């Protein structure tokens, strides 16, 4: 691997067969946004790509939790033109296209992670950082041009970028980006809200299990999770015929923190069975560990994958990530050496330790029977709830609603001195302290309040009578920058 610098941008390249592959990687992703600015990085990417002419070679761009990548494959002169055009666009974004690209984003309805993985990240981290993954936020049409300019100034510059190439840099390649200061991330630990072990019902298509680790390269845990995936393929798909896909998502959160999410789809009506099977197999692996043959199989699979010439770009992307975020990483041979020395007991202990953080998500309406190793029920998770309303002014549904609906009779909204809370028809109380509000969405005379912990409270005239005092209080105590009108693309959906 070679490292040089062009126009202040670190360039990592290696020798691989043509065509030339390139990725201009910026250290900016969803975790750098807030609920109020959610989607702003994706909007920047769309604005930049919208300036490109029609190209007759492979090219794309994507945003994930940590990075934004501009990708291209082609002849050297094509790569040069693509990179220079992207850099030029980022230096002078066509903000006059903001409304049109906001509409494109609404049509795309893209997500930085699979919905099941996103839901688990949100349970772990709340509506901040990686936990924003499953949310749609205010909508790109509610992002101000000045906010977009500031986001580009902070993140899309030469000092927060790495270019990777599968061959030598083309002659005369220029990367005309402004200079800037790389965001300081060392030691910034994400706030963890959902600690586990727990399970929750979510609006997700698959069953999923998330495991948290505070080590950047926990090779023993990685191998153990790979073994769990293969056991589930054998059980859920081949033995029982319940599932088609068993997938594994690895999410880098920051400061060494990682989430590993095992996702399992299910035949209609078999979600409960699949959830119980996933949890049972995870408990069995934590108790007994993998055997030596299973570990050897995973090491052999990794060796084959790393020997594939197509893996070159993936390896460079990992090195670019390490360069941007200052986190140590193992190269391919170092990883294989470490994996080859992992014993079954080391894998078992790593997995058992991670199971203390386990969060299990199931689709809405699924009620699996899940227990801890001591036989006690696995606790239910979700947003923070209680059974007691805080003191304050009470708002109820209108008299006609209460007359005809028992659910309306059980529902209350409370406006306290420092909190807004709602008791739902099931008797659960959802409370959002004013200092934990991350967004207030205006729906005409009503509001919808989003809390850092994942609670959403509707303060709407269709649900509660005479709510003007509650709306006025929200408008007064919640900072103005957190307020926004409902997106033109969401109106009428609820």
């Amino acid at each position: 691997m070679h490292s040089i610098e062009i126009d202040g941008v670190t360039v990592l390249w290696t020798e691989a067969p043509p065509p030339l592959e390139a990725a201009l990687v910026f250290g900016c992703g969803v975790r750098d946004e807030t609920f109020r600015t959610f989607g702003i990085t994706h909007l920047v990417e769309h604005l930049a790509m919208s300036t490109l002419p029609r190209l007759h070679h492979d090219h794309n761009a994507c945003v994930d939790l940590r990075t934004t990548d501009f990708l291209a494959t082609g002849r050297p002169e094509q790569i040069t033109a693509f990179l220079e055009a992207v850099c030029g666009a980022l230096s002078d974004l066509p903000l006059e296209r903001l409304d049109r690209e906001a509409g494109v984003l609404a049509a795309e309805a893209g997500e930085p992670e699979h919905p099941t993985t996103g839901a688990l990240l949100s349970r772990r981290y709340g509506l901040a950082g990686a936990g924003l993954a499953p949310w749609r936020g205010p909508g790109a049409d509610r992002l101000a041009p000045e906010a977009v300019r500031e986001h580009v100034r902070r993140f899309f510059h030469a000092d927060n970028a790495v270019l990777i190439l599968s061959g030598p840099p083309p002659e005369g390649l220029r990367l005309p980006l402004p200079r800037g200061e790389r965001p300081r991330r060392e030691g910034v630990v994400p706030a963890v809200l959902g600690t586990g072990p727990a399970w929750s019902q979510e609006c997700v298509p698959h069953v999923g299990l998330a495991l948290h680790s505070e080590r950047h390269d926990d090779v023993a845990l990685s191998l153990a999770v790979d073994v769990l995936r293969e056991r589930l393929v054998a059980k859920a798909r081949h033995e029982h015929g319940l599932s088609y896909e068993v997938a594994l998502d690895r999410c880098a959160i920051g400061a060494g923190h990682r989430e590993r999410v095992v996702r399992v789809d299910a035949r209609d009506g078999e979600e409960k069975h699949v959830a119980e099977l996933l949890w049972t197999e995870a408990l069995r692996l934590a108790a007994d560990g993998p055997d030596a043959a299973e570990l050897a199989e995973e090491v052999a699979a990794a060796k084959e994958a790393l020997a594939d010439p197509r893996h070159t770009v993936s390896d460079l992307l990992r090195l670019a990530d390490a360069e941007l975020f200052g986190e140590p990483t193992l190269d391919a041979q170092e990883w294989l050496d470490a994996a080859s020395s992992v014993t079954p007991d080391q894998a078992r202990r790593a997995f058992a330790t991670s199971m203390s953080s386990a969060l299990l998500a199931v689709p809405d309406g699924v009620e699996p029977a899940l227990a801890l190793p001591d036989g006690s029920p696995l606790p239910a998770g979700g947003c923070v709830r209680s059974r007691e309303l805080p003191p304050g002014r009470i708002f109820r549904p209108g008299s006609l609603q209460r007359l005809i609906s028992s659910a309306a009779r059980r529902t209350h909204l409370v406006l306290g001195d420092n909190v807004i809370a709602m008791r739902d028809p099931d008797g659960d109380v959802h409370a959002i302290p004013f200092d934990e509000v991350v967004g207030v969405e205006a729906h005409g005379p009503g509001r919808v309040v989003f809390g850092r912990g994942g609670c959403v409270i509707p303060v709407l005239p269709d649900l509660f009578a005479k709510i003007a005092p509650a709306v006025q209080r929200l408008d007064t105590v919640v900072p103005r920058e957190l307020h926004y009108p409902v997106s033109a693309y969401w109106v009428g959906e609820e």
Side-chain angles (χ1 to χ4, degrees), residues 16-17 40 62 68 70 142 161 182 186 233 237 263 269 292 307 318 360 377 409 442:
I40 197 168
C62 61
T68 300
F70 294 90
R142 297 307 179 225
R182 182 174 294 180
E186 298 82 359
V233 169
R237 177 170 177 167
R263 294 186 282 107
R318 184 171 47 79
L360 183 79
R409 291 192 292 273

Side-chain angles (χ1 to χ4, degrees), residues 390-395 413-421 434 473 477:
R393 182 170 179 176
I394 296 176
F395 299 84
L413 180 73
V414 170
L415 180 67
D417 290 340
N418 301 299
V419 67
I420 189 161
F434 290 143
R473 177 76 170 147
V477 301

Side-chain angles (χ1 to χ4, degrees), residues 238-393:
H238 298 306
E239 183 177 334
H240 297 292
L242 301 172
S243 174
Y244 172 74
E245 180 185 22
V246 181
L248 174 58
D249 296 328
R250 293 181 171 91
C251 305
I253 307 301
H257 291 245
R258 295 290 183 274
E259 294 287 338
R260 293 169 174 84
V261 177
V262 180
R263 294 186 282 107
V264 190
D265 65 2
R267 195 172 75 237
D268 284 349
E270 295 293 344
E271 293 86 357
K272 178 179 183 293
H273 192 172
V274 167
E276 292 169 350
L277 183 61
L278 170 55
W279 185 248
T280 298
E281 288 302 313
L283 289 179
R284 185 165 72 89
L285 186 61
D288 303 331
D291 60 38
E294 288 176 310
L295 291 181
E297 187 71 28
E298 295 307 324
V299 172
K303 188 176 295 186
E304 285 295 323
L306 294 173
D308 189 329
R310 292 170 296 181
H311 188 267
T312 298
V313 171
S314 297
D315 204 35
L316 285 173
L317 282 170
R318 184 171 47 79
L319 295 174
D321 194 79
E323 168 72 20
L324 286 167
F325 302 114
E327 296 180 354
T329 190
L330 302 177
D331 64 27
Q333 189 57 53
E334 290 172 333
W335 196 95
L336 282 174
D337 291 344
S340 299
S341 67
V342 171
T343 67
D345 189 58
Q346 287 172 329
R348 179 195 63 77
R349 285 189 282 113
F351 190 82
T353 298
S354 191
M355 276 291 284
S356 66
S357 71
L359 297 178
L360 183 79
V362 300
D364 281 334
V366 175
E367 293 279 355
L370 306 171
L372 294 169
D374 63 5
S376 61
L378 181 66
C383 63
V384 179
R385 293 166 289 184
S386 69
R387 306 296 288 188
E388 298 296 327
L389 282 166
R393 182 170 179 176

Side-chain angles (χ1 to χ4, degrees), residues 145-205:
E146 54 271 22
V148 177
R149 290 191 191 95
E150 175 60 17
H151 196 69
V152 172
R153 185 196 67 78
R154 287 185 60 202
F155 296 107
F156 289 88
H157 52 74
D159 298 274
N160 195 38
V162 172
L163 172 64
I164 66 167
L165 295 166
S166 65
E171 188 73 26
L173 174 63
R174 301 260 59 88
L175 300 169
L177 288 166
R179 300 304 296 264
E181 183 177 347
R182 182 174 294 180
R184 298 186 62 85
R185 307 179 191 273
E186 298 82 359
V188 179
V189 179
V192 175
L193 299 183
T195 54
W199 74 282
S200 60
Q201 293 180 349
E202 308 286 350
C203 184
V204 295

